[in-house]
Amino acid sequence: MPRVSYTEDEVTEAMLDVIDNGFSQNKSAQKREIPRSTLGDRLRGLPSRSEVTQPAQLLSKSEESRLVAWILRQEALGYAPSHSQVRATVAALIRQQGRERPIGVHWLARFLKRHPSIKTKIGKRQEASRFNCFTPTAVSWYFDIREREYGWIKPENTVNVDEGGIMAGFGEFLSFYPWLQLIHCESRLGFLGYRQ
């Protein structure tokens, strides 16, 4: 009995079995555990369901893949976007392209289903004291000290190290290394050990 879910690669392999290896449609469909009717339709040149529904979707495949990459990058930096932020980003993208199309009620749930690499996570509450200390005065105080003490360091030579990884550079020089893991750091001698 065919499986309920199968990948596009499995259908392609079944088609190659019929065309190149001389298998019958029935034998190839059984071997790959895909519906025989699906294999027959594809061999006759009919498009897949995802190809048929793609023009009706809100975003193209490339736009969705870039959105997924952005979400994963934000998560790696420790700033995973909320559902409302993702919807606002998509709405801004559509508006920027000059399309007036509303985002459906179930669009985000279906988007997450299409891209299992993105999972919904429960947010962690921040301590009120952290929010209360983050004031414009505190931020300007920090940057005043940073400019006075370390202003001679070029932005591309700065490094930020925290539990999210190592972020090097600033602005256009920014690069992120989540795969580096610090294992040792010592005082003014400058010893910094890491492993990949």
Side-chain angles (χ1 to χ4, degrees):
M1 173 138 195
R3 286 177 295 165
V4 175
S5 65
Y6 46 88
T7 65
E8 196 62 37
D9 291 336
E10 291 169 329
V11 175
T12 304
E13 289 173 8
M15 291 173 64
L16 291 174
D17 283 345
V18 172
I19 296 168
D20 294 341
N21 300 335
F23 284 31
S24 70
Q25 287 184 24
N26 191 26
K27 185 175 181 183
S28 180
Q30 285 178 346
K31 177 183 175 187
R32 303 289 178 187
E33 297 181 6
I34 62 172
R36 190 177 53 194
S37 61
T38 301
L39 180 57
D41 288 345
R42 298 310 264 313
L43 287 169
R44 286 194 310 273
L46 295 176
S48 69
R49 184 178 293 167
S50 65
E51 291 170 336
V52 171
T53 59
Q54 176 59 43
Q57 287 187 346
L58 191 62
L59 300 176
S60 67
K61 284 186 180 183
S62 63
E63 289 171 335
E64 282 199 1
S65 65
R66 291 191 67 188
L67 181 62
V68 168
W70 175 76
I71 291 169
L72 293 174
R73 171 61 67 110
Q74 293 299 316
E75 195 273 331
L77 291 170
Y79 304 106
S82 66
H83 286 194
S84 60
Q85 289 171 323
V86 172
R87 288 178 68 87
T89 302
V90 171
L93 176 66
I94 292 170
R95 214 175 311 112
Q96 185 181 33
Q97 294 173 348
R99 297 187 289 164
E100 289 299 324
R101 219 171 141 195
I103 299 174
V105 176
H106 301 289
W107 179 84
L108 190 61
R110 291 184 181 131
F111 172 76
L112 293 172
K113 189 176 181 183
R114 282 192 302 274
H115 302 283
S117 61
I118 303 173
K119 296 181 180 170
T120 302
K121 294 183 177 180
I122 304 298
K124 295 179 183 174
R125 289 183 61 109
Q126 296 289 334
E127 298 172 14
S129 59
R130 290 185 73 178
F131 286 119
N132 294 338
C133 291
F134 194 73
T135 62
T137 306
V139 172
S140 62
W141 173 79
Y142 167 78
F143 280 106
D144 288 344
I145 292 174
R146 185 189 181 286
E147 187 61 34
R148 187 174 59 244
E149 298 294 326
Y150 304 107
W152 55 272
I153 299 174
K154 294 179 183 177
E156 61 267 24
N157 293 334
T158 60
V159 177
N160 177 29
V161 181
D162 62 9
E163 60 276 352
I166 297 176
M167 190 182 306
F170 185 78
E172 63 189 63
F173 305 105
L174 184 66
S175 56
F176 182 66
Y177 305 102
W179 58 88
L180 292 179
Q181 182 181 22
L182 285 177
I183 56 173
H184 191 75
C185 182
E186 285 190 26
S187 64
R188 304 184 119 230
L189 298 176
F191 180 81
L192 177 70
Y194 64 90
R195 65 174 179 203
Q196 288 183 312

